[in-house]
Every structure is written in C-alpha cells, then in structure tokens.
Amino acid sequence: QHTTILLVKITIIASNSSVPQINCDVKAGKIINPEFIVKCPAGCQDPKYHVYGTDVYASYSSVCGAAVHSGVLDNSGGKILVRKVAGQSGYKGSYSNGVQSLSLPRWRESFIVLESKPKKGVTYPSALTYSSSKSPAAQAGETTKAYQRPPIPGTTAQPVTLMQLLAVTVAVATPTTLPRPSPSAASTTSIPRPQSVGHRSQEMGQEMGNWAFRSPKVLLLFPGLVPKEELSTQSLEPVSLGDPNCKIDLSFLIDGSTSIGKRRFRIQKQLLADVAQALDIGPAGPLMGVVQYGDNPATHFNLKTHTNSRDLKTAIEKITQRGGLSNVGRAISFVTKNFFSKANGNRSGAPNVVVVLVDGWPTDKVEEASRLARESGINIFFITIEGAAENEKQYVVEPNFANKAVCRTNGFYSLHVQSWFGLHKTLQPLVKRVCDTDRLACSKTCLNSADIGFVIDGSSSVGTGNFRTVLQFVTNLTKEFEISDTDTRIGAVQYTYEQRLEFGFDKYSSKPDILNAIKRVGYWSGGTSTGAAINFALEQLFKKSKPNKRKLMILITDGRSYDDVRIPAMAAHLKGVITYAIGVAWAAQEELEVIATHPARDHSFFVDEFDNLYQYVPRIIQNICTEFNSQPRN
C-alpha cells in the first residue's frame, strides 16, 4: 500500500507588496522553495526563536532569527533573500547581533541569508510552498492551492485540496486532554515542558480545524497530508546540546534524613526537576548529578548518566528517600573525593558546583569538609530550610554552619527559606547564581590556583637596563593571574653566585602590592650559579607553598651556569614543582632543557635579545593553562 504525500501551497495576499511575509517562528525546513525573498516582522531577536549554526544555518532554524544573527537584519525586521544549500556535518553555535545560536551535530538541509537584492532576470515566488498544512501563514484573507509531489511509479495520485481533506470523516469528536491542575495545586514556577508527538499532532489538528471552519471536530492525523518527516518529528528534532552560557558540572546533595518526611522529600525532588528543566541540560552546557545523604551518602546518578533535561527529570522522579541522620559533612567529603572525576563525567574547564539542601541543621560538622572541597575547586551553595527554633539551638552541632561552609559570606552562596512551601522561590536566584561563572570565585583555574616563584638571574652580564626589561617581563606574566591569599600567590628570588629572597608567597596578597614589589627589586650583579639558586628557591619559597596549590617555578637566565643544574632540577621535579626555563642571549639550550619540566618543548624557551622576552608571555600563559586543564582536580 502506497501513501501519497501531499503538500499545501499557501498564497499570501499582501496588500501593498508581492513579497510574502512570515512570522519569527517559521523554520526554513518548512518552506519547499529553494530560493525566495520574504519579509520578517520585528522582534525576531527573541531567544525563543531557535537558531542553529553560524553563517550557514540548519534548516531547523528560525529564518528570521538567523537573519538577525547573521547581521542582514536587525530586530526591527525587513526583507531578506534566503537560499537553500546542502546539509552540513556540523553546525557551530555563536553569539552575534544579540542572538545566541546553538550547535548541532548534523542536519539534512541548510540555508544562508542574504540581503534582499534580486538577481537580474530571476523571478522570486510571491507565494511560498510549505511542506505541511500547519503553515504559519494560515490567516484570515489567505487562500489555499492544491500542490502535489510527483507520484510514486505504479501509483495514481489526484490533486486534493485542503478543504476536501478536512471533509474526511474523522472518528474522534474532540481531542483528549489532561485536566489542568487547580490554581492551588499548580507550581508557582512556570517552566515549559517538552511535548509528545501525539500532543503535537493533536495541536496541529486543532489549528487546522480552527483555520478551516471552526468545527468542533478535529483532524488528528492524516498520512496523505503530513509529510513523512513530520510524522517522525520526535526523532528528527535536534536534542538540545545544553546552554553554552551555563557550562557547569553540578551535583545536588539532597537531604534524605528520616526527619524530613515524605511530603518534604517530594517538594525537594520537585525543586530538582524544576532546576533540571530551567538549566537546559546538555553536553555543551550544564550537566547534573544527584547524591542523597542520611547516615551515609550515595550517588543516584553522576554527570554523564543523563545528558538532557527530560531524562534527568524522569530519573529524579524515581528517587526514593533513604532515611537516617543528616550527616552533611560526610556527604561533602564524599563528593569531594568521588563525584567530580573524569570517570563520572567531570569536564576540564567547567566549574564544579555543589548545591546542598539542609532541613533544619546537620548532625555533623561541615566547616572542615567544606574547606577541603573549596580548596579542590568546588563551589558550594547551601539552601537551608526551617532553621532551629530558639529552644532547639542547644542541639545544633555547629552554629552558623552555612556561613562556615561557603567561600564568601556575602549571601551569594547561601539561600534560606522559612518554610518548605517556600522552597520554589529559590529556583530563579539559584539558577542565575550557579550559571554566573564569572562570580564562581571558588573555582580553581590555571589563573587562580598556583604559587609562582620567579628565579631571576642578576649576574653582571645582564646589565642594569636589561634587568629592568626582565622585571617588566615578570610584571607582564604576573598581571595575567588572579592574585590574593586564596588565589595565585607570587614570590621572587634573585641570584648571582649568591641568592636573595626578594619576597615570599605570604608577603603580598593583592596584585597592586605585588606589581609594586617587583618594580622595587634592585639589580645585584655578580656570577651565575643557577643550580644553587634552584635549591635556594625550593627551600625558601616552595617549602612554604600551600599543599593545595600548584607549584610553578619560572627561571630567567642569560648565560651558562657556573655550577651543576642537573641534581637541583631533578629535586624540583620530584617535589612536584613545574619548572619553566627562559634563556636569553648566551644561555645554554641544553641546560635549559635539563632545568625545564618534561616535555622540554613546552617548558623551555630561548630568545636572542632581552627586548624580545615580551613575545613569550602569551605562549607561557597558554602552556600553563593547557597543562592545568589536562590534569585531574586536586
């Protein structure tokens, strides 16, 4: 049995122009014409009109949204020329002209948007041909025309108008819909939920019925009218890759203690489901896992178990309460040691975030466990519900526990609600904060997590002028880092035959103070004992480095060392000090490679003149960050 696929052609009767007008939500894939001019309305910059790709767009994109993204139109609308091109193996998202386009692995058809300058001798259609009856142009004053694809060999297909199709008897009087929840039972948060194919088909039938003759009967599905690709909408629609503006690795620590009760536990799960929907979970955006705590913590699912909001919400619904005490500190330690690993889906460069929900107060201490978590680069948020009453405070193990747990006590990392029935109010502020990656101050990055010791050659061959150039090089590198007592710290040693500690890691805790201290370093003059200088730096600088800090030594020299550098360099490597060796003028290349951490090509550099040192600042910073991001978290 063959099914004839029909297409409906919509003729738009425009009052003043032969250029068809379309709405912002019209996708290029719904229009059959290979090349056409259309007029877009104002307001298509709205993020609800999804765009996929950059310059070349997947046909699943909003035509007018793509026009704004490409810069051909602004948000006031106007005329554009659209040309269909072949499908691409991948589409890269980008932010342009107020529109954030999304990435897509592949799509069957593409298009480009050009200014509406018609080619000479080319006639553009004054009516667009759509691939289904659900045409956005179906409005009052429009007319329909029959359109038919070439018939399949061996079959006979006659033109059928839309009105004839709607006259087909449909054995369904009214569409079946779920009852709406009463206002009292409805969630106060309005989060859009994905719809099933059946719902989309029903919605389409309703729209067609209203359009044609306002009949109470609706056409639910008609294979001759709806193209094959429309019937399989669910499988062809691109699965969201996630919001790239909120690329975080998120763990929820939920309270499963006995005291919380079943009703409150359900309220807690509803918040998680709402967060999962609001975040737009996906591999290019946020990923989320859940750990439940009681007596002992247990992971329900990790970061890579569910990679879209729909699956994640389904999994959250299946979580059951474990019971027990409220050992939050033990749970935080568990997450620090076990959750954020590569095997569990942790991604380099994505901030690690833990959101802890606590009913009342914990039954163990959280301060020390939270400190270790923060020093491992984890941003901890606390949501506390129904704190201890005055007569209950004697039972609280650790007063003011939330402020002791978070890395900033300015209210950014902690939220409190007086009642479980107000928990939904935390949704919007929580989502906004966890996605504000610029303010996630506890995240450890290549720029805020190191103790950096500069070992500077002050020998006679350098000279006063060149020594000032070396100090400027040190300044330029230092400016790239986030300086504070809890972020990156800077120390400096100058050496000749002897060594001098200019300042240690704990001397200055702000960038202005560090830069002024570098400027004040005086030129010493003397011989060149680089091996002894490395040993001195290990004892006087790095021995006092914090255990959670990455240790970086940046050595700058202009000549061959008078003493052996092999044993001191090996000692530095064994102590976990990552060493960069920068040689100038008469420095020995083979000596630099011995000093530098392996592989030497990434950690040793040579310039022929002091004035060229500045050129290596970006490359050194890039190498430091590349190496940091390739290593597991502390």
Side-chain angles (χ1 to χ4, degrees):
Q1 182 178 355
H2 298 283
T3 300
T4 302
I5 297 176
L6 300 178
L7 302 171
V8 177
K9 186 173 185 179
I10 307 300
T11 302
I12 303 176
I13 301 176
S15 56
N16 299 319
S17 172
S18 60
V19 175
Q21 296 189 28
I22 61 174
N23 295 328
C24 296
D25 60 353
V26 174
K27 299 170 183 175
K30 296 296 182 184
I31 301 173
I32 295 297
N33 308 79
E35 190 167 328
F36 52 92
I37 293 177
V38 291
K39 185 175 182 181
C40 292
C44 296
Q45 196 179 54
D46 195 305
K48 69 182 179 182
Y49 306 120
H50 293 172
V51 177
Y52 298 88
T54 301
D55 297 329
V56 178
Y57 302 95
S59 63
Y60 195 74
S61 304
S62 156
V63 172
C64 298
V68 177
H69 182 271
S70 67
V72 174
L73 288 185
D74 58 24
N75 201 36
S76 61
K79 297 177 184 178
I80 56 171
L81 171 61
V82 178
R83 182 178 300 149
K84 296 288 188 71
V85 295
Q88 306 289 306
S89 59
Y91 300 84
K92 187 175 182 180
S94 65
Y95 182 81
S96 179
N97 301 306
V99 175
Q100 175 66 58
S101 71
L102 306 174
S103 297
L104 194 65
R106 59 185 176 275
W107 199 246
R108 60 183 178 269
E109 183 184 55
S110 310
F111 69 99
I112 58 175
V113 183
L114 306 168
E115 293 182 7
S116 59
K117 295 179 180 178
K119 295 179 184 177
K120 290 183 179 180
V122 177
T123 301
Y124 294 93
S126 58
L128 299 178
T129 304
Y130 289 84
S131 64
S132 83
S133 63
K134 189 179 178 181
S135 168
Q139 300 173 16
E142 295 172 348
T143 62
T144 62
K145 293 183 180 180
Y147 183 87
Q148 186 177 5
R149 282 188 177 176
I152 301 170
T155 66
T156 303
Q158 298 296 325
V160 182
T161 66
L162 178 62
M163 295 305 176
Q164 289 172 323
L165 287 171
L166 290 171
V168 175
T169 302
V170 181
V172 178
T174 55
T176 302
T177 58
L178 292 173
R180 292 180 180 271
S182 64
S184 61
S187 170
T188 55
T189 57
S190 179
I191 305 295
R193 298 177 184 268
Q195 298 174 341
S196 66
V197 176
H199 185 93
R200 288 171 57 86
S201 302
Q202 168 189 313
E203 193 178 61
M204 180 188 74
Q206 288 174 323
E207 187 171 320
M208 288 173 57
N210 291 338
W211 171 29
F213 46 85
R214 305 290 179 186
S215 168
K217 293 189 177 184
V218 295
L219 179 66
L220 286 181
L221 196 62
F222 195 88
L225 175 67
V226 186
K228 185 176 181 181
E229 62 265 26
E230 190 73 9
L231 296 178
S232 58
T233 301
Q234 191 174 34
S235 61
L236 283 178
E237 285 188 3
V239 175
S240 173
L241 297 179
D243 181 1
N245 296 316
C246 183
K247 187 177 180 181
I248 59 171
D249 289 342
L250 171 64
S251 172
F252 263 92
L253 266 177
I254 61 172
D255 192 339
S257 60
T258 304
S259 62
I260 195 175
K262 291 183 178 179
R263 188 179 185 185
R264 293 172 179 176
F265 191 76
R266 285 197 299 270
I267 294 173
Q268 187 175 215
K269 290 203 303 181
Q270 185 58 54
L271 175 67
L272 265 64
D274 291 343
V275 169
Q277 182 66 51
L279 281 180
D280 187 14
I281 300 296
L287 293 177
M288 177 174 153
V290 174
V291 173
Q292 183 180 169
Y293 67 87
D295 289 336
N296 294 296
T299 302
H300 284 284
F301 40 85
N302 60 35
L303 296 167
K304 66 180 183 181
T305 309
H306 305 291
T307 56
N308 62 72
S309 296
R310 181 190 60 199
D311 293 348
L312 186 58
K313 289 167 64 180
T314 301
I316 290 168
E317 180 59 33
K318 295 177 181 177
I319 294 175
T320 57
Q321 186 177 0
R322 294 171 58 85
L325 297 174
S326 184
N327 290 331
V328 177
R330 183 178 296 177
I332 293 172
S333 296
F334 171 83
V335 168
T336 303
K337 295 174 183 176
N338 302 293
F339 190 86
F340 294 108
S341 66
K342 189 174 182 180
N344 286 337
N346 187 56
R347 298 166 293 179
S348 297
N352 294 164
V353 180
V354 171
V355 177
V356 186
L357 286 97
V358 182
D359 174 41
W361 59 89
T363 52
D364 64 350
K365 293 187 176 182
V366 303
E367 183 175 14
E368 180 63 15
S370 299
R371 182 186 66 80
L372 293 173
R374 295 196 309 269
E375 290 183 353
S376 296
I378 297 173
N379 295 272
I380 298 181
F381 287 79
F382 262 67
I383 299 177
T384 52
I385 308 103
E386 297 182 359
E390 196 63 38
N391 62 341
E392 295 174 321
K393 289 183 178 179
Q394 57 181 317
Y395 304 115
V396 176
V397 175
E398 191 175 27
N400 202 25
F401 64 89
N403 280 342
K404 292 177 180 178
V406 298
C407 74
R408 299 285 189 275
T409 56
N410 56 8
F412 182 78
Y413 291 93
S414 55
L415 294 161
H416 178 74
V417 290
Q418 297 294 335
S419 164
W420 275 94
F421 300 108
L423 185 61
H424 64 273
K425 296 178 182 178
T426 65
L427 174 64
Q428 290 186 358
L430 177 64
V431 168
K432 184 177 180 180
R433 294 180 194 188
V434 299
C435 289
D436 190 355
T437 53
D438 291 337
R439 290 189 65 185
L440 294 181
C442 303
S443 292
K444 288 293 179 283
T445 70
C446 56
L447 302 179
N448 69 4
S449 60
D451 279 346
I452 303 176
F454 288 97
V455 181
I456 305 167
D457 184 349
S459 60
S460 302
S461 58
V462 174
T464 304
N466 288 333
F467 188 77
R468 305 317 302 177
T469 303
V470 170
L471 292 183
Q472 185 59 52
F473 172 70
V474 172
T475 296
N476 292 343
L477 282 171
T478 301
K479 284 179 179 178
E480 298 293 324
F481 293 91
E482 299 169 26
I483 308 296
S484 79
D485 185 52
T486 57
D487 295 313
T488 290
R489 304 188 302 170
I490 304 292
V493 167
Q494 184 181 175
Y495 74 95
T496 57
Y497 284 125
E498 300 177 280
Q499 307 83 36
R500 182 168 74 195
L501 179 65
E502 301 292 353
F503 50 87
F505 293 134
D506 56 357
K507 181 72 173 177
Y508 304 106
S509 58
S510 73
K511 188 175 290 188
D513 288 346
I514 284 288
L515 297 181
N516 285 330
I518 294 169
K519 192 182 297 182
R520 291 195 301 269
V521 173
Y523 176 49
W524 203 358
S525 187
T528 309
S529 294
T530 306
I534 294 172
N535 280 331
F536 181 85
L538 292 177
E539 285 297 316
Q540 298 299 318
L541 271 181
F542 292 102
K543 199 170 185 179
K544 301 175 183 178
S545 182
K546 291 184 178 180
N548 65 306
K549 297 286 188 181
R550 291 173 67 82
K551 297 180 278 290
L552 302 178
M553 181 191 298
I554 300 177
L555 185 144
I556 308 113
T557 181
D558 81 326
R560 185 180 293 274
S561 177
Y562 293 170
D563 62 354
D564 182 66
V565 299
R566 288 173 297 177
I567 294 176
M570 187 179 296
H573 301 161
L574 290 173
K575 290 180 179 180
V577 178
I578 301 168
T579 307
Y580 287 81
I582 294 96
V584 189
W586 299 279
Q589 184 69 42
E590 71 276 10
E591 205 168 74
L592 297 176
E593 292 177 357
V594 168
I595 295 170
T597 295
H598 180 79
R601 66 176 181 276
D602 295 332
H603 299 87
S604 67
F605 305 94
F606 179 84
V607 294
D608 54 358
E609 295 181 5
F610 284 93
D611 289 341
N612 292 329
L613 274 171
Y614 75 94
Q615 299 176 0
Y616 281 87
V617 170
R619 186 174 170 188
I620 293 170
I621 295 296
Q622 181 182 359
N623 286 8
I624 288 172
C625 287
T626 299
E627 186 170 46
F628 174 87
N629 291 331
S630 68
Q631 299 298 316
R633 299 278 183 184
N634 289 337

